[in-house]
Amino acid sequence: MKFLPLFFDLKGKSVLVVGGGEVAQRKCTLLMKAGAVVTLLAPDVKAELESLVHTQGGHVHKERYCDTFLVSKILVVAATNDPQVNVQISQDAQSRSIPINVVDHPELCTFIFPAIVDRSPIIAAVSSGGSSPVLARLLRAKLETVLPATYGKLATLAERYREKVKGTFTTINQRRGFWESVLQGQVADMVFAGKDKEAESLLISELDAKQTKIREKGEVYLVGAGPGDPDLLTFKALRLMQQADVVLYDRLVSQPIVDMCRRDADRIYVGKSRSQHAVPQDEINQLLVKLAKEGRRVLRLKGGDPFIFGRGGEEIDLLADEGVPFQVVPGITAASGCAAYSGIPLTHRDYAQSVRFVTGHLKDNSANLPWAELVHPNQTIVFYMGLMGLSIICRELQQHGMNPETPIALVQKGTTKDHKVVISTLEQMPADIQAQPVSAPTLIIVGEVVSLHDKLKWFDPEAHS
Ligand code: SAH
């Protein structure tokens, strides 16, 4: 082990930071977060940094470095761009046995800063011992995904009941067993879902009963999986995917995303394709209730966002009636994903001040959309489920007064390795689509913003596969 990780108590302690720029500011911010009283030393100090140090009760000296500033400091950070001064500070600090960090110069340091995940009071620190700070940062990003933002709250709750638990259970083994099941069980799940009061009541009742309850009631997580690229999942989606006991997913959820669910979770495909429902909606709703009532944590994974043409509202309606707890996690909807990956801003100050999401699943061959309302200047229209009705959409928009030259984009399997964009005009698109194969799911974007694709396209599906 090249470095021993230690956690310093800096509350109210004097530390010296030498340097007046960006880097010094980052270090000051971190040190002050830990409660240190910072003395900042540099001939030139950024105004923002100066006021930051002052507002936190620190001292600023606009002078050159001299070793008298080391007196009674317990830690020193050098962030100057003068190599000689850095060396001098390092030597002076070491000869006084004060821990020293010279930013980006491991050879001059007696301690280094780790990459930190702050879920106070829980702190995770990662270091590569200076060999690859980027690798340490990547690992930190991984930890960020598995430690929910509310992780610290769980630790605070546990701290408050520490003594009481000690008084209730006499042996260390009993206490450990109790805490292990609390911190991995329903109490923890409730804290992560923001249900602090319920979590505390459950903890108290489990403590009174001197045992943790077996999960009687499960929960349903209605989670948006985004348009396809697994990198577009939210941290919360990923965490719940890795914790659920059973997963119900449909056709729109891409395979790489299904593969990221907990390995030993049961998987149930309830896929739907247009006009052919593998499992009728009603049965899906019933199944969610049944599984949750068996005490299982049920993940209902949906493409895009569950509340945008996703029937999410219908699915949780029955859960609410049946008193089954649920959480809803938004996902990146197809419109956002496809537009972003196609270089088509949905709004743009010069072209569109509003955007409408419309279903293109036409009943009665056209009658059921408010066409006149859609034909509106400076508005982008996004049609979901519009491939089958594409020619009707193009025709109706023109008949209701939209310029036949209006640009239109069809995005196939947006954000995935099969991402493909076809650009045309309202007049030409139906013929263009006849000429080439496209496969679902596809999204249709109509409006002047589509013309920006040519210049702003950036995503290369080949490089992504
Ligand atoms: N809840 C989803 C939409 C479900 S409706 C969401 O928020 O995205 C299904 C329609 O979404 C499809 O017919 C298609 O129009 C669109 N869609 C979903 N994923 C897509 C993708 N990766 N590329 C293009 N269109 C997509």
Side-chain angles (χ1 to χ4, degrees):
M1 206 194 299
K2 208 164 145 198
F3 292 89
L4 177 68
L6 296 168
F7 289 83
F8 255 82
D9 182 0
L10 290 182
K11 243 166 271 86
K13 305 276 166 45
S14 293
V15 305
L16 178 67
V17 177
V18 189
E22 275 302 324
V23 184
Q25 181 160 339
R26 278 206 299 279
K27 296 301 180 206
C28 285
T29 306
L30 189 62
L31 293 164
M32 291 187 305
K33 230 174 158 185
V37 179
V38 169
T39 297
L40 183 75
L41 179 61
D44 290 313
V45 179
K46 277 174 60 187
E48 191 190 342
L49 173 56
E50 184 175 359
S51 70
L52 182 80
V53 173
H54 277 143
T55 53
Q56 303 280 320
H59 315 281
V60 177
H61 296 269
K62 293 187 185 167
E63 299 169 38
R64 295 196 66 76
Y65 165 77
C66 111
D67 64 355
T68 52
F69 282 100
L70 293 175
V71 174
S72 68
K73 301 295 184 301
I74 65 148
L75 205 78
V76 181
V77 177
T80 84
N81 45 19
D82 182 332
Q84 269 180 349
V85 175
N86 282 345
V87 169
Q88 189 61 52
I89 300 170
S90 175
Q91 285 171 356
D92 293 348
Q94 290 192 54
S95 68
R96 289 165 177 76
S97 301
I98 306 173
I100 165 81
N101 177 274
V102 181
V103 179
D104 285 340
H105 289 282
E107 73 287 359
L108 298 177
C109 295
T110 60
F111 77 93
I112 55 175
F113 284 93
I116 293 169
V117 183
D118 184 359
R119 299 286 189 265
S120 289
I122 298 290
I123 307 285
V126 181
S127 166
S128 65
S131 52
S132 172
V134 175
L135 196 60
R137 277 213 301 279
L138 291 176
L139 184 54
R140 176 187 57 184
K142 283 209 169 123
L143 286 175
E144 293 268 7
T145 66
V146 292
L147 296 177
T150 43
Y151 211 76
K153 274 198 194 166
L154 185 61
T156 311
L157 178 68
E159 189 180 24
R160 273 197 281 132
Y161 283 87
R162 216 173 137 190
E163 287 308 313
K164 201 152 180 231
V165 170
K166 243 188 199 165
T168 308
F169 297 102
T170 40
T171 73
I172 290 185
N173 271 350
Q174 284 172 332
R175 288 201 289 271
R176 190 177 294 148
F178 178 79
W179 278 127
E180 276 178 2
S181 61
V182 162
L183 298 175
Q184 296 179 88
Q186 224 166 342
V187 171
D189 289 353
M190 283 174 170
V191 171
F192 298 155
K195 297 176 181 167
D196 298 0
K197 283 212 179 80
E198 289 96 323
E200 186 157 2
S201 317
L202 182 61
L203 175 60
I204 292 168
S205 75
E206 292 189 342
L207 199 50
D208 288 346
K210 283 198 171 199
Q211 60 180 358
T212 47
K213 284 191 190 137
I214 300 186
R215 209 182 279 274
E216 287 163 2
K217 226 197 238 171
E219 187 173 2
V220 174
Y221 313 136
L222 178 61
V223 174
D229 182 350
D231 279 356
L232 294 178
L233 284 171
T234 59
F235 288 165
K236 194 164 187 180
L238 187 60
R239 182 167 57 75
L240 296 178
M241 283 161 67
Q242 287 175 352
Q243 127 180 346
D245 305 309
V246 50
V247 183
L248 276 73
Y249 65 101
D250 48 49
R251 198 177 53 98
L252 275 181
V253 181
S254 70
Q255 193 56 43
I257 290 180
V258 176
D259 291 343
M260 291 167 97
C261 292
R262 206 176 96 196
R263 220 166 268 239
D264 59 340
D266 292 335
R267 283 149 209 228
I268 304 176
Y269 178 69
V270 290
K272 292 177 219 153
S273 58
R274 198 178 176 279
S275 70
Q276 177 219 332
H277 292 223
V279 178
Q281 187 63 51
D282 213 33
E283 272 179 42
I284 296 178
N285 303 350
Q286 300 286 352
L287 190 57
L288 291 173
V289 171
K290 178 176 162 284
L291 291 166
K293 285 196 169 169
E294 287 169 6
R296 311 235 263 166
R297 289 168 296 181
V298 187
L299 177 75
R300 176 65 177 114
L301 199 55
K302 311 212 63 138
D305 182 284
F307 279 3
I308 297 181
F309 304 123
R311 301 191 177 201
E314 295 167 45
E315 296 189 358
I316 56 175
D317 192 69
L318 188 64
L319 299 174
D321 284 346
E322 296 280 336
V324 173
F326 58 84
Q327 314 179 33
V328 184
V329 181
I332 291 184
T333 189
S336 296
C338 294
Y341 278 46
S342 304
I344 301 174
L346 292 175
T347 67
H348 187 292
R349 283 195 295 172
D350 299 335
Y351 303 100
Q353 279 76 48
S354 67
V355 55
R356 288 187 67 148
F357 295 173
V358 182
T359 169
H361 187 75
L362 305 170
K363 286 182 199 136
D364 315 327
N365 261 357
S366 79
N368 68 329
L369 282 184
W371 297 106
E373 221 178 273
L374 297 181
V375 180
H376 199 280
N378 301 353
Q379 174 170 268
T380 307
I381 323 172
V382 180
F383 290 94
Y384 286 70
M385 299 168 276
L387 184 58
M388 299 300 284
L390 178 67
S391 48
I392 299 172
I393 290 170
C394 291
R395 189 191 69 210
E396 290 289 332
L397 290 174
Q398 291 175 81
Q399 278 182 1
H400 285 81
M402 199 176 259
N403 184 345
E405 293 300 313
T406 308
I408 170 170
L410 188 125
V411 184
Q412 167 197 279
K413 298 190 174 172
T415 80
T416 72
K417 63 178 178 32
D418 301 314
H419 180 104
K420 181 171 139 188
V421 187
V422 180
I423 303 279
S424 187
T425 61
L426 279 186
E427 196 173 26
Q428 271 300 315
M429 184 56 113
D432 290 355
I433 283 304
Q434 293 276 308
Q436 52 187 305
V438 257
S439 45
T442 59
L443 193 84
I444 299 166
I445 307 176
V446 180
E448 294 302 326
V449 287
V450 170
S451 61
L452 294 164
H453 163 80
D454 213 24
K455 183 169 180 197
L456 303 183
K457 59 178 186 285
W458 59 271
F459 176 62
D460 177 6
E462 292 288 312
H464 208 64
S465 53

